[in-house]
Amino acid sequence: MPQPPGLLAVNLLDASSLLGAFGALGIAVVLFAETGLLIGFFLPGDSLLFTAGLLCVPGVDGTVHLSLPQVLLASVAGALLGAQTGFLIGRRGGRALLERSRNRRLHDGARRGEELLNRYGHAKAVVLARFIPVVRTVLNPLAGALGVPTRTFTVWQTVGGLVWTVGLVMAGYALGSSVPNVDRYLLPMVAAVVALSLLPLALEVLRSRRAARADHR
C-alpha cells in the first residue's frame, strides 16, 4: 500500500525532520525506542531534545513551532517509560537478545555499560548512561539481566531521565531565547550537541584502549 509523501520524506536521523513530521508525539516515540528497545540505538535523542527546545521559542522560524509544556511532558514520558520497559525486557532475557544480535555497536555498548555498572555502582552508572549514546540503549536491559534491584533502577533511571530530558530541552530553549535569529545557526548548534554527546563515548573508548594496552604490557 503506498505511503503518504510526507511520511516518505521523514529522515529518522534528522531531529528537525522528525519534529516537523510528528511534533511532540514523535519525541515520546523516539525516546521510548532509543531507551527501551535495542533497535533504537541509532536514533538521535540528544539532538532531538535540544532542537525541540529551540523550536519552542516564540519567533523561531522552522518547519514547526512546539509547545514547551508538551515537549517536556513527551520527553520525560518517553525516556522514563522506555528505560523501565528496557529493564523489564532485560529481566525476561535481555542477555540472550544481546548475544543474538550481530551489531558491533550494540555489543560495544553492552561492554561499556557493564564496565560502568562495575566501576561506578548501580545508581551512578544508571544516571551516567543517559548521557552516552548507545550505552543508554543497552544499559537498561543489561541492568535487568544482571539483577540490579528494581527499586534502585527505577529511582535512579528517573533521576537520570529527568536531568537528561529537561536539561537538554531547557538548554535549547534558553539558547533560543537569548540569541537573536537563532534559527540561522540551527544546524551548527545541533551538530555541536551531537559532537558533545559523543564526547563521553569517545573518552570511554580511549580509556578502555589504554587499559587494554596496560594489561597487554
Side-chain angles (χ1 to χ4, degrees):
M1 180 177 180
Q3 295 294 323
L7 290 181
L8 292 176
V10 175
N11 181 354
L12 294 178
L13 301 179
D14 180 9
S16 298
S17 178
L18 282 166
L19 292 170
F22 303 112
L25 177 61
I27 301 172
V29 172
V30 167
L31 294 189
F32 181 89
E34 188 190 19
T35 59
L37 308 176
L38 291 175
I39 59 172
F41 69 91
F42 63 91
L43 293 169
D46 296 308
S47 59
L48 184 69
L49 291 168
F50 185 81
T51 305
L54 280 174
L55 295 178
C56 290
V57 178
V60 172
D61 294 330
T63 56
V64 65
H65 177 70
L66 302 174
S67 162
L68 183 60
Q70 289 180 2
V71 166
L72 289 172
L73 180 61
S75 302
V76 170
L80 300 191
L81 291 174
Q84 205 67 33
T85 299
F87 179 79
L88 294 175
I89 290 174
R91 278 289 170 88
R92 294 176 177 272
R95 176 73 80 173
L97 288 174
L98 283 170
E99 289 175 353
R100 283 200 296 268
S101 172
R102 296 181 180 180
N103 190 284
R104 183 177 178 181
R105 289 182 66 191
L106 280 180
H107 285 285
D108 288 344
R111 177 179 53 78
R112 288 190 295 272
E114 197 158 0
E115 288 175 359
L116 280 177
L117 288 167
N118 293 332
R119 184 178 181 185
Y120 296 110
H122 297 160
K124 189 179 291 187
V126 169
V127 173
L128 289 175
R130 287 286 191 180
F131 299 89
I132 307 176
V134 183
V135 176
R136 64 171 162 261
T137 301
V138 298
L139 185 127
N140 302 319
L142 188 63
L146 294 177
V148 174
T150 302
R151 182 177 179 181
T152 299
F153 177 83
T154 302
V155 168
W156 291 105
Q157 76 95 348
T158 301
V159 171
L162 287 171
V163 173
W164 179 55
T165 55
V166 175
L168 279 173
V169 169
M170 294 310 299
Y173 185 82
L175 188 61
S177 300
S178 59
V179 178
N181 300 316
V182 70
D183 49 288
R184 296 180 182 178
Y185 314 105
L186 182 59
L187 289 178
M189 285 190 295
V190 170
V193 170
V194 172
L196 287 174
S197 70
L198 292 174
L199 184 59
L201 184 61
L203 292 175
E204 188 65 26
V205 169
L206 183 61
R207 187 197 66 79
S208 299
R209 288 181 177 177
R210 286 178 177 174
R213 284 198 296 266
D215 291 342
H216 180 70
R217 289 172 184 172

